[in-house]
Amino acid sequence: MNNHIFFIAPSAYTLSGLATWLDYLLPGLKQLGWRTTLGLVEGTRYHRVADYLAVHPCESAIAITCKTGTPQGRRWAVQRAIQEYSPDIVVTVNIPDAIAATAELRSRGKTHAKIVMTCHGIQEDLFADIKLFKNSLDAVVCTNKLACKLAEDYSSLDKSSVFYAPCGAPTRPLTPRKSEKTFKIIFVGRLEQQQKRVHDLPAILENLSSQQIPFHLKIVGTGPEEIRLRDRLSQFINSGEVSFLGHVPSHELWEKAYFQADALLMPSPCETGPIVIWEAMAMGVPVVSSRYIGSGLENALKNRENCLLFNVGDTETATQQLITLYSD
């Protein structure tokens, strides 16, 4: 029988890069001969498996249901699932209770599964979890080199237990781009200010407009700032210069977003990928990005070599980089 990996992940976030990462990862592991199960935690309020699967279908998904909402109840629910599916490796995705639950089963001889934690962010609480459970973890897998460094230094994890696995994206044959007067820009991501700085978009568009650059911005995604962002962009929406596409499934992104786009705009202050940049590059779309926290050690983005960069929050330089691309 093929080795079995049991992923335990939240179902509360349907718009996150984490969910997209799983969309790519699970079919890839299957192609390599691994058997996978996606255990989605389900609660009484926020974690809704049916809603998650409506956006991110997965044939191997199961619900790990806890109706008590208590830490012990969550651990018992995880333990029941592990004993039922008997995995060789348990991979936790932002569910620290799963680490404690698996470690307890292992101490009682009820499972021999290895315990792996994945890290998709640079928030302090993630590394506090690593530090708390470091004696139970067999490995931590990070998608960013800065995250790897923090796991070693802040969480005091042995370097041999930290693995670097950057995000990727499928490639496709490049297609010739039409030369048109209107400069077509796309933003793909969660409409949220703290992690995505979506309110930099109006300032950038106002700058482009003041310099008489003909543009059209497609905004792909939804989130808590959508209503406010629509209000701030109302003049551009009314003029037809901005359109909101809402959530677009991964398999439709090429046709609805990336096809014939002239630039992907990424103003984020902090990223551990991001997958959308790799998707854009894989599909031949030029990238104009902030120098977000996480891009330094990663060293994948090189200004004027494979992208154009600006400092976080510097909407003037972001505008000039877009104009440079438009003029070339």
Side-chain angles (χ1 to χ4, degrees):
M1 183 178 292
N2 295 342
N3 288 334
H4 182 199
I5 306 178
F6 191 16
F7 290 86
I8 301 177
S11 61
Y13 319 116
T14 61
L15 305 175
S16 68
L18 188 153
T20 303
W21 172 77
L22 286 168
D23 288 345
Y24 285 143
L25 182 62
L26 298 185
L29 287 169
K30 184 177 179 180
Q31 289 178 0
L32 293 173
W34 287 84
R35 187 162 60 95
T36 61
T37 299
L38 175 58
L40 294 168
V41 298
E42 183 174 51
T44 56
R45 294 184 64 188
Y46 301 112
H47 295 272
R48 301 180 183 275
V49 172
D51 292 347
Y52 179 97
L53 293 177
V55 180
H56 301 277
C58 177
E59 61 182 16
S60 68
I62 60 121
I64 300 177
T65 303
C66 171
K67 295 183 179 180
T68 66
T70 64
Q72 187 59 63
R74 292 194 292 268
R75 293 177 186 183
W76 282 341
V78 167
Q79 289 174 346
R80 287 193 295 270
I82 290 173
Q83 289 182 289
E84 179 177 353
Y85 287 90
S86 301
D88 299 290
I89 302 174
V90 172
V91 179
T92 69
V93 185
N94 288 2
I95 305 293
D97 280 322
I99 302 171
T102 309
E104 182 182 348
L105 279 183
R106 200 161 63 177
S107 70
R108 290 160 37 200
K110 300 293 185 180
T111 183
H112 297 289
K114 300 290 186 182
I115 305 173
V116 178
M117 175 178 168
T118 64
C119 181
H120 297 262
I122 308 179
Q123 299 97 309
E124 183 179 1
D125 60 312
L126 296 176
F127 301 98
D129 287 339
I130 294 173
K131 189 171 186 177
L132 177 65
F133 293 111
K134 68 177 183 179
N135 293 326
S136 299
L137 290 167
D138 294 289
V140 171
V141 178
C142 303
T143 58
N144 180 272
K145 289 181 180 179
L146 176 59
C148 290
K149 183 69 173 171
L150 290 169
E152 296 170 24
D153 294 350
Y154 180 86
S155 303
S156 304
L157 204 66
D158 188 89
K159 187 174 182 178
S160 64
S161 300
V162 179
F163 295 87
Y164 171 60
C167 297
T171 58
R172 61 183 300 137
L174 300 184
T175 58
R177 299 191 177 273
K178 298 176 183 178
S179 179
E180 297 180 0
K181 184 178 180 181
T182 300
F183 188 54
K184 298 180 292 299
I185 308 166
I186 56 173
F187 171 89
V188 182
R190 198 167 59 255
L191 303 186
E192 190 253 354
Q193 178 62 11
Q194 183 176 356
Q195 293 186 355
K196 300 298 181 182
R197 288 192 67 96
V198 293
H199 291 297
D200 287 354
L201 298 177
I204 293 171
L205 297 190
E206 287 165 6
N207 291 340
L208 289 175
S209 183
S210 69
Q211 299 193 45
Q212 298 184 327
I213 303 298
F215 65 85
H216 182 262
L217 171 65
K218 286 184 179 179
I219 297 176
V220 179
T222 62
E225 292 295 314
E226 181 172 354
I227 293 175
R228 187 174 170 215
L229 186 61
R230 281 180 179 271
D231 181 61
R232 291 194 61 192
L233 292 173
S234 59
Q235 69 180 87
F236 299 113
I237 296 172
N238 294 335
S239 67
E241 293 169 297
V242 170
S243 56
F244 283 74
L245 274 62
H247 172 74
V248 176
S250 298
H251 65 278
E252 296 179 10
L253 276 173
W254 162 248
E255 181 180 352
K256 293 186 177 180
Y258 295 119
F259 179 66
Q260 296 298 333
D262 296 309
L264 171 79
L265 178 58
M266 171 64 65
S268 297
C270 178
E271 292 282 353
T272 51
I275 291 177
V276 294
I277 283 184
W278 316 140
E279 285 176 337
M281 288 182 167
M283 297 179 185
V285 179
V287 171
V288 177
S289 172
S290 63
R291 291 182 175 89
Y292 52 82
I293 296 171
S295 64
L297 279 179
E298 198 73 3
N299 199 31
L301 300 179
K302 299 181 184 296
N303 191 42
R304 294 187 176 274
E305 291 185 29
N306 64 359
C307 64
L308 294 173
L309 297 176
F310 58 91
N311 292 333
V312 173
D314 185 354
T315 57
E316 292 289 340
T317 302
T319 303
Q320 290 307 311
Q321 296 290 46
L322 287 168
I323 293 173
T324 296
L325 193 58
Y326 168 73
S327 303
D328 186 351

